[in-house]
Amino acid sequence: MTTTQKLSMRDQMVATIAELFERDERTALVLAAVSATQFAPILQRYPQRALNLGIMEQSMIGVAAGFALEGFIPFAHTITPFLVERPLEQLKDDFCYQGLGGNFLSIGASYDYSTDGPTHHGPADVPLLMQLPDMQIVVPGTAHELDQLLQAAYANGSPTYYRTSVAEHNEHLDIEFGKLKVIKQGSQATVIAVGPSLEYVLPAVEGLDVTLLYCTTVAPFDKETLRAYASKGEIVVVEPYYEGALVPGISAALEDMPTRIKAIGVPRQFLHRYGTLEQYNAALRLTPEEIHRRIEQFL
Amino acid sequence: MDTTTSTTLDEVKQLMRMAVGDEKHDVSAHSTLDILWVLYDRVLRYVPDKPEAKERDRFLLSKGHGPLALYAILAAKGFFPTTELERFGTWEGILGGHPDRQQVPGIEISTGSLGHGLPMAVGVALALRAKKGEQRVFVLIGDGECNEGSIWEAVMLAGQLNLANLTCILVNNHSSLYNFSDLETKFSAFHWQTTNVDGRNHEQLYQALSMTATTQPHVIIADIAR
């Protein structure tokens, strides 16, 4: 693993979609004003199938579904709460229930907008979307991973959510859609780090005799790899959104063996403070030191 | 494309009587009956045994409530056996209180929750325009459904995008909590072409549904006395 300098996930999202537009005429893009500047070259070059609709997120998802009905592969994008929470019913009815494929790409994960308050926070995105049958959920940890996952899954015919974040880890990993990646092996417990959480989990497990699995596809969850690396039945999962979303999946994967699970993630509370990501992480006990202490306590 | 059959509206009404169990939506189903009849008997281009034929016109029932009239017409026109009406709302059947596109041949979108179909129809119209398709898109909404904010998002959008391949049939059966006495001016303000018709008058409906596209989306406000 090497440390590299790279595009932000947001810039990578634009770059990858631009590349996909170049080579796949089935692609379509709808925006609700957010990132219109970044996507301007695509909007100008493909005005028939790349449109900024204005600030109407429910209709943005409905229009994307209309494109999907006609055989296009739509991409829809805005800030997390407006992509997931406001049009949640459109995601359910217009895509999942209809049986249509589409790609939903958010910016502003959890409290990325740390100075903008809870209207712009989105830590409920993954837990909410996990309630929608057939919705795939992707949580890349770097721009490179976003590119790999988007290229792999954009045309797979399923509704798929991509959670991009300003929080990234510093490893350069090649990952596979739908697969856990084994980072290291140990004997005391199995730690699962999801997406950007890896940045803090890697130092947190330093010196601990644990297996570390890295997860970028939350749904569908890779039960097989977990089963192969969880013989001890002691599981810690560290997630960058509301804590515990993966617990049912882990529990189901290991249903025939005695299992203890510790879930670490964002607590369910409104954050009535403004500040930096680091201040939020410290207040919510999501620093490497705190994660290390909580894992040791569990063991 | 074949749009002619020997079926009559009376036969469709008989088929509707075969289905029981959706009395709560009776008014809704009967409000749309004449409109859907004229649409499927004289206007839409489709092939009943190839419900997904690319060259077909698209009809989206945004107002998924009371789909019985649509089911009966689809059955009468040969999309599926008329015996399906007898199995309405049962485990063995494919027809229920709100339509499921994965179950029913000829149903373009699964609806039931109001305010979804018009935005989807805008997407379909955009997609067909991008493909340079000649097909027309028809979508049916209700005046009660116009209480939903997403309807007005899509009305604003379709007018702005000059979607001349989109026709919205607004069935005004006066079920809205609010008095939409001036629906025409509301759509006009969003750059739609508007036509008012008596929702029971077949000739008026035919003339309006057959109008040649201009540069704007077209709304047909079909009044149904209640």
Side-chain angles (χ1 to χ4, degrees), chain A residues 110-111 196-197 199-201 204 237-243 263-267 271 277-292 294:
Chain A
S110 288
Y111 37 83
S197 300
E199 183 190 4
Y200 288 176
V201 175
V237 56
V238 186
E239 298 169 274
Y241 37 79
Y242 279 153
E243 64 191 8
I264 297 173
V266 179
L271 299 158
L277 273 181
E278 290 70 25
Q279 287 171 314
Y280 272 94
N281 287 336
L284 300 174
R285 301 199 302 150
L286 294 173
T287 60
E289 298 75 23
E290 280 291 332
I291 294 170
H292 176 85
R294 292 164 77 180

Side-chain angles (χ1 to χ4, degrees), chain A residues 2-299:
Chain A
T2 56
T3 302
T4 55
Q5 190 63 41
K6 50 204 176 304
L7 295 175
S8 70
M9 283 199 218
R10 184 186 198 173
D11 291 341
Q12 184 66 61
M13 166 185 72
V14 175
T16 303
I17 291 176
E19 189 187 325
L20 295 174
F21 261 75
E22 285 277 338
R23 66 164 193 253
D24 191 340
E25 289 186 349
R26 300 171 299 167
T27 48
L29 172 71
V30 285
L31 304 177
V34 171
S35 302
T37 305
Q38 287 83 347
F39 279 114
I42 301 177
L43 297 173
Q44 285 158 15
R45 184 159 176 198
Y46 308 97
Q48 297 294 314
R49 55 191 169 102
L51 299 102
N52 177 12
L53 307 177
I55 306 164
M56 48 172 81
E57 294 83 7
Q58 296 174 73
S59 288
M60 174 178 72
I61 301 301
V63 168
F67 270 103
L69 279 165
E70 292 299 328
F72 284 89
I73 301 170
F75 298 86
H77 161 76
T78 188
I79 298 171
T80 307
F82 321 133
L83 183 65
V84 175
E85 293 168 353
R86 191 184 196 107
L88 184 65
E89 198 202 27
Q90 275 76 14
L91 293 170
K92 171 199 159 201
D93 286 358
D94 300 357
F95 275 92
C96 296
Y97 174 42
Q98 311 282 340
L100 295 173
N103 300 284
F104 316 102
L105 301 107
S106 67
I107 53 167
S110 288
Y111 37 83
D112 276 3
Y113 287 110
S114 59
T115 60
D116 288 326
T119 62
H120 282 56
H121 294 173
D125 58 347
V126 172
L128 284 169
L129 292 174
M130 288 185 87
Q131 305 309 313
L132 302 185
D134 304 327
M135 180 64 78
Q136 299 181 333
I137 302 168
V138 169
V139 184
T142 64
H144 172 63
E145 292 170 10
L146 171 66
D147 181 55
Q148 289 184 305
L149 292 161
L150 195 48
Q151 302 262 10
Y154 83 98
N156 72 5
S158 294
T160 307
Y161 174 66
Y162 302 83
R163 175 192 186 274
T164 81
S165 178
V166 297
E168 299 190 28
H169 65 72
N170 293 310
E171 310 306 315
H172 186 80
L173 300 174
D174 287 322
I175 44 91
E176 199 179 331
F177 177 84
K179 292 287 179 193
L180 289 166
K181 187 175 183 69
V182 182
I183 305 292
K184 73 168 196 166
Q185 292 189 54
S187 64
Q188 270 201 300
T190 302
V191 178
I192 304 166
V194 179
S197 300
L198 187 65
E199 183 190 4
Y200 288 176
V201 175
L202 265 178
V205 299
E206 211 168 295
L208 296 178
D209 179 20
V210 296
T211 291
L212 177 58
L213 303 178
Y214 178 49
C215 175
T216 51
T217 308
V218 171
F221 184 60
D222 178 8
K223 293 177 179 175
E224 290 70 30
T225 304
L226 176 61
R227 285 181 66 81
Y229 290 89
S231 56
K232 184 90 174 170
E234 301 279 307
I235 312 293
V236 178
V237 56
V238 186
E239 298 169 274
Y241 37 79
Y242 279 153
E243 64 191 8
L246 259 178
V247 170
I250 294 166
S251 182
L254 307 176
E255 63 183 356
D256 56 348
M257 57 190 285
T259 305
R260 274 200 321 141
I261 306 174
K262 170 71 177 170
I264 297 173
V266 179
R268 281 176 185 76
Q269 63 188 67
F270 287 115
L271 299 158
H272 293 274
R273 299 286 287 271
Y274 305 101
T276 64
L277 273 181
E278 290 70 25
Q279 287 171 314
Y280 272 94
N281 287 336
L284 300 174
R285 301 199 302 150
L286 294 173
T287 60
E289 298 75 23
E290 280 291 332
I291 294 170
H292 176 85
R293 197 178 59 75
R294 292 164 77 180
I295 295 174
E296 273 202 318
Q297 268 180 352
F298 174 72
L299 297 176

